Amino acid sequence: MNRKTPIKDYVFVGVQLLLLAAYMLPLQLYKIQLPEWLRYSGLFVLILAVLFGMIAVLQLNTKLSPFPSPVADGNLITKGAFRFSRHPIYTSLLLSGFGYALYNDSLYQLLLIGCLLLIFYYKSKYEERLLIQKFPEYKIYKQSTRRFF
């Protein structure tokens, strides 16, 4: 089945990429002074988030797509990382960005992670409407598994 990707998919991915690119810029609006233990806790969160995201990527394998529309030949995955989060890759990106922003003492990066959280929230709502259409059992999965954290 070869279908055209909806424009809404491109908008979500485009905004997401712009925010991630802005996050990588070496800007410093205001350097917050966090206690050393909190900064290193951020590094710990970053490492755990990257591992969690890698597990989700491996589970999706060739079905990985940046777009919220489900791939035509995809299956509903509810085990592994997807047992803890309906959107483990979004969760991984959010937590790793949060962890690195803490480690980096960066208010700028924390603000961008807040913006990314909003984009991922709306992107995941849209994605879930499509998943329910494709997989009616998604409604049951949705009731027992958190969106992100």
Side-chain angles (χ1 to χ4, degrees), residues 70-123:
V71 294
D73 58 344
N75 299 314
L76 181 61
I77 302 171
T78 60
K79 305 283 187 231
F82 291 85
R83 189 176 126 220
F84 302 102
S85 168
R86 297 192 310 264
H87 304 279
I89 295 174
Y90 300 165
T91 301
S92 173
L93 288 169
L94 290 167
L95 288 176
S96 60
F98 177 75
Y100 186 71
L102 284 181
Y103 178 71
N104 210 22
D105 279 336
S106 176
L107 179 62
Y108 168 74
Q109 288 175 324
L110 286 172
L111 291 172
L112 284 173
I113 289 301
C115 293
L116 196 60
L117 174 63
L118 284 173
I119 290 301
F120 283 158
Y121 174 77
Y122 288 106
K123 183 180 177 186

Side-chain angles (χ1 to χ4, degrees), residues 40-56 81 84 88-100 149:
Y40 284 101
S41 295
L43 196 55
F44 180 71
V45 168
L46 167 66
I47 292 166
L48 288 179
V50 168
L51 291 173
F52 185 66
M54 288 172 55
I55 291 167
F84 302 102
I89 295 174
Y90 300 165
T91 301
S92 173
L93 288 169
L94 290 167
L95 288 176
S96 60
F98 177 75
Y100 186 71
F149 316 108

Side-chain angles (χ1 to χ4, degrees), residues 6-147:
I7 190 75
K8 198 170 190 176
D9 285 27
Y10 286 105
V11 171
F12 276 121
V13 171
V15 173
Q16 172 185 325
L17 289 175
L18 286 173
L19 286 171
L20 290 171
Y23 181 90
M24 300 305 235
L25 293 174
L27 297 177
Q28 194 68 264
L29 294 178
Y30 176 77
K31 188 159 178 94
I32 50 180
Q33 296 295 327
L34 297 174
E36 203 69 13
W37 68 268
L38 186 56
R39 286 188 63 236
Y40 284 101
S41 295
L43 196 55
F44 180 71
V45 168
L46 167 66
I47 292 166
L48 288 179
V50 168
L51 291 173
F52 185 66
M54 288 172 55
I55 291 167
V57 166
L58 290 172
Q59 280 185 268
L60 286 172
N61 198 357
T62 61
K63 307 302 184 215
L64 181 64
S65 169
F67 300 112
S69 294
V71 294
D73 58 344
N75 299 314
L76 181 61
I77 302 171
T78 60
K79 305 283 187 231
F82 291 85
R83 189 176 126 220
F84 302 102
S85 168
R86 297 192 310 264
H87 304 279
I89 295 174
Y90 300 165
T91 301
S92 173
L93 288 169
L94 290 167
L95 288 176
S96 60
F98 177 75
Y100 186 71
L102 284 181
Y103 178 71
N104 210 22
D105 279 336
S106 176
L107 179 62
Y108 168 74
Q109 288 175 324
L110 286 172
L111 291 172
L112 284 173
I113 289 301
C115 293
L116 196 60
L117 174 63
L118 284 173
I119 290 301
F120 283 158
Y121 174 77
Y122 288 106
K123 183 180 177 186
S124 67
K125 280 183 68 100
Y126 169 64
E127 183 175 349
E128 289 183 346
R129 280 195 309 268
L130 300 174
L131 286 166
I132 287 171
Q133 290 173 4
K134 182 168 179 150
F135 307 106
E137 64 272 23
Y138 191 86
K139 277 186 178 181
I140 296 165
Y141 168 65
K142 188 176 171 182
Q143 292 171 354
S144 63
T145 308
R146 292 175 177 259
R147 181 184 308 268

